[in-house]
Amino acid sequence: MRTKRRGWASVLLAAALGVTLAGGAQAAETGATFGTHWQDWRAHADVADLASLQRGARDFVGYCLGCHSLRYERWSRLGKDLKIPPDVLKKDLIPPGQNARDYMMSPMTADAAKWFGKQPPDLSLIARYRGTNYLYRYLETFYVDSGRPTGVNNLVYPSVAMPDVLSSLEGLKVAVYRTVEVPGPHGTRIKRQVFAHFRQVAPGSMTREQFNQFVHDTVNFLDYVSDPPRLQRHRLGVWVVLFLMVFTTLAWLLYREYWKDVR
Ligand code: HEC
């Protein structure tokens, strides 16, 4: 069991390193401020974008599978739907000890609840449950907060138990607040702190654009996973509509032919 877990860790590390190196040399600029309108950030998920889904699958295996399972998705289905050749699937994605027929299960045990305070949830249906824009904002709004056991907090999920697992890519950012006065009881004014923007305090291996793309791909992948047959449905749908159009034309011609002599 021990060695198996260690094997896993090295795979994850290697994958993480691979993605980090591929991320490019230009890091997110320290001191830059952004995110005033983070509530408007959108995932722009598009399950027809196969290249994005393939990158998302790679990112998920490298950065999320260590804690989160996808218990309704088999490796073989992933390969088939995303057109990943079986040898690449086996070499780069499937963890040692699992095979293509298995579900995408995390090696994380029930001890996780002890370590993190919460069990990392299965993410098979999370995109349907939370929506893709939520997931995008969730992964984009981790910020440094020394008051938390993990050292980070999150704007859409305050006091979240998940560590900032993407900080090596994104770098670190802090939340800057501004004070506003709001009307209180009996004509008084109450001062309240509201979020103003993020400030980048340490660079990661990616630029902001690269990181946004990374999150987009990961969310896109989770959207696909939440409803895998959608890909086939969309492909098939085009043919169904075409068939109906041809059939309607034929039916109409036939109708005209039959009624020609009656009228
Ligand atoms: C080190 C373990 C760990 C890793 C790695 C990890 N997570 Fe999590 N994640 C957690 C824990 C623990 C929670 C439960 C947080 C809570 O409910 O407070 C969680 C919760 C979540 C949630 C649910 C949030 C919600 O609103 O219910 C999502 C979505 C999520 N993680 C996505 C990801 C993605 C995507 C990755 C990979 C980029 C990832 N996680 C990597 C530990 C991890």
Side-chain angles (χ1 to χ4, degrees):
M1 191 60 203
R2 271 254 152 116
T3 46
K4 204 167 162 198
R5 241 190 250 157
R6 210 173 300 135
W8 252 96
S10 57
V11 169
L12 292 184
L13 204 68
L17 212 64
V19 179
T20 312
L21 290 178
Q26 213 185 351
E29 209 181 309
T30 323
T33 59
F34 58 97
T36 311
H37 302 292
W38 66 272
Q39 286 101 335
D40 300 333
W41 288 348
R42 300 261 178 282
H44 300 295
D46 172 15
V47 287
D49 186 349
L50 204 61
S52 164
L53 294 184
Q54 290 170 341
R55 290 193 299 268
R58 178 198 61 190
D59 300 341
F60 185 88
V61 171
Y63 290 93
C64 319
L65 189 67
C67 293
H68 295 283
S69 296
L70 299 174
R71 68 174 159 212
Y72 299 124
E73 179 85 351
R74 284 182 204 273
W75 290 104
S76 53
R77 163 129 220 182
L78 179 82
K80 206 163 127 235
D81 284 351
L82 304 195
K83 302 196 167 35
I84 303 171
D87 51 325
V88 176
L89 190 70
K90 198 163 170 22
K91 190 164 80 49
D92 294 340
L93 295 181
I94 303 182
Q98 292 193 25
N99 69 48
R101 287 189 311 277
D102 293 333
Y103 289 103
M104 296 178 66
M105 297 305 284
S106 167
M108 187 55 76
T109 59
D111 290 340
K114 262 188 262 156
W115 301 330
F116 302 115
K118 292 234 182 90
Q119 190 70 25
D122 184 278
L123 295 184
S124 311
L125 297 172
I126 196 82
R128 297 194 119 195
Y129 174 49
R130 295 286 202 195
T132 50
N133 290 336
Y134 170 94
L135 292 180
Y136 185 85
R137 290 170 206 152
Y138 174 70
L139 294 174
E140 287 269 359
T141 62
F142 278 91
Y143 62 91
V144 176
D145 180 351
S146 53
R148 299 280 314 143
T150 51
V152 288
N153 211 329
N154 190 281
L155 281 190
V156 297
Y157 192 157
S159 308
V160 69
M162 176 168 137
D164 184 5
V165 297
L166 301 177
S167 58
S168 64
L169 308 180
E170 189 196 11
L172 298 174
K173 59 185 184 297
V174 291
V176 179
Y177 291 85
R178 64 191 164 82
T179 312
V180 292
E181 280 201 351
V182 292
H186 312 299
T188 53
R189 311 283 293 167
I190 299 174
K191 287 199 165 122
R192 186 170 288 168
Q193 297 273 54
V194 296
F195 175 83
H197 53 249
F198 288 121
R199 201 177 65 243
Q200 189 83 22
V201 289
S205 60
M206 289 185 171
T207 62
R208 179 92 354 231
E209 289 70 34
Q210 286 168 333
F211 183 71
N212 293 347
Q213 179 73 42
F214 178 99
V215 173
H216 162 83
D217 293 339
T218 311
V219 172
N220 210 11
F221 172 71
L222 287 174
D223 195 24
Y224 148 74
V225 161
S226 71
D227 184 10
R230 184 164 35 176
L231 287 180
Q232 278 102 331
R233 238 177 17 240
H234 284 188
R235 271 180 225 139
L236 196 67
V238 176
W239 291 106
V240 172
V241 171
L242 274 180
F243 168 78
L244 286 178
M245 274 157 60
V246 171
F247 181 78
T248 309
T249 315
L250 283 178
W252 181 74
L253 288 174
L254 205 62
Y255 162 85
R256 217 176 49 165
E257 187 63 27
Y258 280 163
W259 284 83
K260 200 167 58 187
D261 306 329
V262 181
R263 261 185 272 154

